[in-house]
């Protein structure tokens, strides 16, 4: 029989596999008919009257474009995509040929946004995309491919603002503590293509956007700053933010010019009747696939949430309490004071974390309804945050796994009933893009035995955690056996966590 660890790994791989660019596009997009050809997108038909064009921007867009070109064949007239610097070389070296364009492709690739920051190369690509969109007619069809990281790859400040000036302003806001949402509102207001700008430029052509979401809740106007979605913000919102951070009185002349001449109301939604936005890949899709696989392996499976967020140590505490609660199911202590205590802890942690859309009471009800004898799999996704206190090397997934390992060890040390010893437990956390922080790992596995086993090797988990050095710990522990290493995946729908538990 396969180990829990092998099961967890296969669930993670199948989840990522289902949101790989080629698989996603082939599920969502078909080409139909010879006489008057149509593009079918999730069942909606778009006639190809004259010319079909393609543009794209984001970290997963190269693979999406390669699959799209294969589907569209000769109907595609021309395309331009903006992708991260060096990505073609990385995929080439990784042997991921299927994510690269064919030699005589009609799609031009522009690499830019070094270190995920807008730069002159990204601007050059944005201008090329802008010119293509601007020249379209009512008979043209524009296919837009969007994935996370698209924001930095589509910088086109409204003239006379210079890229440098927009960057300065964004940096000043960030240094004064502006939240990412606030930064995006200011960026969108000063941008030609963001906040629905690309869609407005392409009018009257039909615009169809295929979106891979890397944002909790899949908000269309936030993913890559929403170039084809109506923005829910106005110039007033931008001015309010600049006032809040005391920047209204030292703005560059060019920014003042643009702000004073912008329309005060957001563009009405009827101005987007020529646009169709479709989310073709998300954390939810990946978790649904993992759930199907887990049930096939015999697990009673529940999805906790696709919006797990918050400080990594609090999220780890939530997972530890959840694991204790599941283990209680396999003992004679299913009812009683310990169960009530664990339940109370869980509800309090959930209230503190404020995870969007999580109804924990309903989840606990579903957990109680599972068949008592079957092994349990709990899946979740989202994106945690790490407060850096040390100078070590790691990523949020490896740190989460290490913190869960430590939390389970402490729970075991305190419990007289040796609750966790009656179960076999594995916890996995991994980034779907295959990269967790600045490391070559996607994440890590842990179990309640991890801390004791590490001590036998002279490794002190707390010391590594206090230095944010989870990667170094996992590399040294058991020869790196607990690291999750997948290589680049060419996709990104945030992170995935899996908890697998069976009675011993």
């Amino acid at each position: 029989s396969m180990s829990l660890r092998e099961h967890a790994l296969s669930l993670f791989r199948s989840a990522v596999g289902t949101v790989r660019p080629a698989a996603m596009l082939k599920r969502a997009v078909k080409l139909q008919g010879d006489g008057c050809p149509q593009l079918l997108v999730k069942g909606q038909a778009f006639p190809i009257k004259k010319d079909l064009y393609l543009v794209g921007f984001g970290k997963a867009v190269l693979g999406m474009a390669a699959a799209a070109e294969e589907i569209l064949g000769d109907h595609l007239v021309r395309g331009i995509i903006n992708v991260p610097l060096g990505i073609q070389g990385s995929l080439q070296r990784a042997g991921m040929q299927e994510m690269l364009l064919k030699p005589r492709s009609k799609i031009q690739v522009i690499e830019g946004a070094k270190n995920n920051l807008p730069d002159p190369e990204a601007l050059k690509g944005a201008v090329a995309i802008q010119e293509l969109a601007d020249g379209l007619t009512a008979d043209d069809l524009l296919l837009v491919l969007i994935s996370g990281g698209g924001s930095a790859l589509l910088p086109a400040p409204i003239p006379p603002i210079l890229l440098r000036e927009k960057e300065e302003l964004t940096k000043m806001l960030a240094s004064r503590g502006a939240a990412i949402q606030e930064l995006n509102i200011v960026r969108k207001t000063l941008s030609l293509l963001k906040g629905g700008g690309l869609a407005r430029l392409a009018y009257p052509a039909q615009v169809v956007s295929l979106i891979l979401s890397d944002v909790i809740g899949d908000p269309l106007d936030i993913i890559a700053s929403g170039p084809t979605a109506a923005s829910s913000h106005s110039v007033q919102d931008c001015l309010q933010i600049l006032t809040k951070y005391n920047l209204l009185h030292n703005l560059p002349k060019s920014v003042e010019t643009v702000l004073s001449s912008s329309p005060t109301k957001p563009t009405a939604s009827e101005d987007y009747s020529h646009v169709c936005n479709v989310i073709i890949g998300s954390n939810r899709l990946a978790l649904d696939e993992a759930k199907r696989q887990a049930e096939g392996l015999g697990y009673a499976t529940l999805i906790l949430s696709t919006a797990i967020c918050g400080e990594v140590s609090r999220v780890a505490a939530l997972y530890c309490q959840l694991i204790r609660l599941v283990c209680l199911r396999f003992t004679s202590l299913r009812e009683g004071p310990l169960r009530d205590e664990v339940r109370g802890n869980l509800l309090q942690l959930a209230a503190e974390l404020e995870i969007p859309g999580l109804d924990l009471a309903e989840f606990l009800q579903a957990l109680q309804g599972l068949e008592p004898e079957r092994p349990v799999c709990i899946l979740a996704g989202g994106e945690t945050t790490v407060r850096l206190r040390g100078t070590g090397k790691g990523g949020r997934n490896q740190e989460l796994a290490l913190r869960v390992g430590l939390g389970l060890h402490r729970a075991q040390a305190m419990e007289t009933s040796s609750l966790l010893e009656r179960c076999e437990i594995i916890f996995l956390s991994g980034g779907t893009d295959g990269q967790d922080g600045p490391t070559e790992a996607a994440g890590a596995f842990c179990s309640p035995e991890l801390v004791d086993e590490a001590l036998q090797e002279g490794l002190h988990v707390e010391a590594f955690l206090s230095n944010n050095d989870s990667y170094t710990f996992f590399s040294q522990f058991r020869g790196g056996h607990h690291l999750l290493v997948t290589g680049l995946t060419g996709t990104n729908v945030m992170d995935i966590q899996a908890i697998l538990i069976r009675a011993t």
Side-chain angles (χ1 to χ4, degrees), residues 274-317:
H274 63 299
V275 183
C276 175
N277 288 307
V278 185
I279 292 196
I280 62 167
S282 63
N283 192 267
R284 163 64 61 182
L285 276 168
L287 290 184
D288 284 343
E289 178 59 26
K291 180 176 195 274
R292 253 195 27 204
Q293 299 283 339
E295 285 169 346
L297 290 168
Y299 289 88
T301 309
L302 292 174
I303 293 176
L304 175 65
S305 165
T306 57
I308 296 291
C309 55
E311 217 278 310
V312 67
S313 59
R314 308 307 294 147
V315 174

Side-chain angles (χ1 to χ4, degrees), residues 99-251:
M99 297 218 184
L100 295 166
L101 294 169
K102 301 283 180 287
R104 279 179 300 286
S105 169
K106 290 177 188 163
I107 300 171
Q108 177 192 358
V109 181
I110 296 170
E111 292 192 356
K114 187 179 179 184
N115 301 326
N116 207 17
L117 295 168
D119 57 13
E121 285 309 303
L123 179 60
K124 192 178 94 184
V127 169
I129 286 173
Q130 178 195 333
E131 285 168 356
L132 186 151
D134 210 10
L136 300 177
T137 69
D139 288 337
D140 294 324
L141 177 58
L142 179 66
L143 193 61
V144 185
L145 309 177
I146 301 176
S147 78
S151 243
L153 286 160
L154 200 68
I158 298 172
I161 303 173
L162 301 170
L163 185 61
R164 190 189 73 241
E165 293 173 320
K166 192 173 150 188
E167 278 312 276
E168 279 304 297
L169 183 57
T170 312
K171 277 200 189 111
M172 271 156 64
L173 276 167
S175 71
R176 293 179 184 203
I180 182 72
Q181 285 80 357
E182 295 177 314
L183 291 176
N184 278 343
I185 290 170
V186 174
R187 276 191 201 128
K188 282 199 294 193
T189 312
L190 304 177
S191 168
L192 267 176
L193 301 175
K194 297 182 168 110
L198 178 61
R200 290 195 300 276
L201 269 181
Y203 181 85
Q206 172 73 57
V207 177
V208 180
S209 279
L210 307 178
I211 302 164
L212 177 61
S213 169
D214 69 333
V215 181
I216 282 178
D218 309 334
L220 290 173
D221 64 331
I222 305 287
I223 303 163
S225 302
T228 58
S231 172
S232 45
H233 304 107
S234 67
V235 170
Q236 288 335 104
D237 298 314
C238 178
L239 292 169
Q240 256 173 347
I241 292 164
L242 294 171
T243 309
K244 174 179 168 183
Y245 294 103
N246 242 340
L247 287 169
L248 209 49
H249 301 297
N250 44 5
L251 292 174

